[in-house]
Amino acid sequence: MKKDLKNIALETLKILTKKSWSNLSIKEIKLKSKVKLFSNLIKNKQELLNNINSYFDYNLILNSKKIENSNSKDMIFEILMMRYDVLQDNRKAVLSIFKSFRNNPKELVCMLPKLLTSIEMMLNCVKISSKGIVGKIKIKGVLVIYLTTFLVWTNDETESLEKTMTFLDNSLDQVGKLFKL
């Protein structure tokens, strides 16, 4: 990830710990991030949101090398939990964004293509094929699992995210039979 984009993501997340996504302005991020070519990199809030997601992906890729080679279900579980660990590190900011999505779901819909790309990247990190029709079905299936588990994560106050882990594990057990994970 480019240094300027990383700085923008970090500054945005920092501001979102104190402010809601809906009250956040591009101008504010531009001033606080002190990135000279900001306007060339980020033109609107959707691009800002996509940049945050890219920052999460970047962190996930760095950590994914720690995943042990195992069965597909366990590897998907590990990579998704790593994603939730990244989200947990930025919990206040992520919840700020999520609360605005409830009031304006259009923003989430606009983010779906980026999330699909993230899921594909996660599957590739754990060496699960995302090619062809079956691969596309796997991507969309894992996205559904990710989003439903995300709803559990938003209410999981446990330090170890045990509610999130349990829900994710049960979901993967159910879907794994269909996808032969």
Side-chain angles (χ1 to χ4, degrees):
M1 175 171 223
K2 292 181 182 176
K3 184 179 177 185
D4 285 344
L5 289 171
K6 183 178 177 184
N7 288 342
I8 292 168
L10 288 169
E11 191 60 44
T12 305
L13 290 166
K14 181 179 173 186
I15 292 170
L16 285 171
T17 62
K18 300 173 189 132
K19 182 177 240 188
S20 74
W21 174 258
S22 52
N23 292 330
L24 184 73
S25 74
I26 295 289
K27 185 177 181 180
E28 178 180 15
I29 301 299
K30 183 178 182 179
L31 291 172
K32 296 225 177 177
S33 69
K34 299 176 184 164
V35 172
K36 291 180 181 170
L37 299 173
F38 184 97
S39 298
N40 293 344
L41 299 170
I42 305 289
K43 294 175 182 42
N44 56 48
K45 282 181 85 172
Q46 189 62 50
E47 288 182 3
L48 193 62
L49 190 59
N50 287 340
N51 185 55
I52 292 168
N53 189 70
S54 294
Y55 171 71
F56 292 159
D57 287 348
Y58 167 77
N59 282 306
L60 189 60
I61 289 169
L62 293 176
N63 291 325
S64 70
K65 293 163 181 50
K66 299 174 189 172
I67 295 175
E68 292 181 28
N69 201 6
S70 182
N71 65 57
S72 297
K73 183 234 176 197
D74 289 347
M75 290 171 55
I76 290 173
F77 177 85
E78 286 298 319
I79 195 95
L80 288 173
M81 281 311 300
M82 282 183 175
R83 175 77 176 211
Y84 287 112
D85 289 340
V86 171
L87 296 180
Q88 188 71 10
D89 291 342
N90 300 280
R91 187 173 182 85
K92 279 182 116 176
V94 173
L95 290 176
S96 173
I97 295 167
F98 175 66
K99 287 175 185 167
S100 90
F101 282 175
R102 288 191 296 194
N103 299 329
N104 187 5
K106 183 178 97 178
E107 286 182 309
L108 175 61
V109 172
C110 291
M111 194 177 170
L112 284 175
K114 185 72 173 159
L115 284 174
L116 285 167
T117 301
S118 295
I119 297 296
E120 183 175 12
M121 177 272 308
M122 285 187 255
L123 290 176
N124 290 336
C125 282
V126 294
K127 297 170 182 63
I128 294 174
S129 176
S130 59
K131 302 226 184 298
I133 294 171
V134 173
K136 299 306 175 211
I137 292 169
K138 283 180 187 177
I139 292 168
K140 290 177 179 142
V142 172
L143 177 65
V144 169
I145 291 170
Y146 173 75
L147 292 174
T148 55
T149 305
F150 179 86
L151 295 175
V152 172
W153 174 83
T154 62
N155 295 307
D156 190 347
E157 301 287 329
T158 63
E159 193 173 313
S160 63
L161 297 178
E162 55 197 66
K163 291 177 185 175
T164 303
M165 286 193 295
T166 300
F167 184 85
L168 176 59
D169 192 46
N170 290 338
S171 297
L172 288 171
D173 279 343
Q174 292 172 0
V175 174
K177 295 169 189 162
L178 294 173
F179 292 118
K180 297 179 184 168
L181 295 175

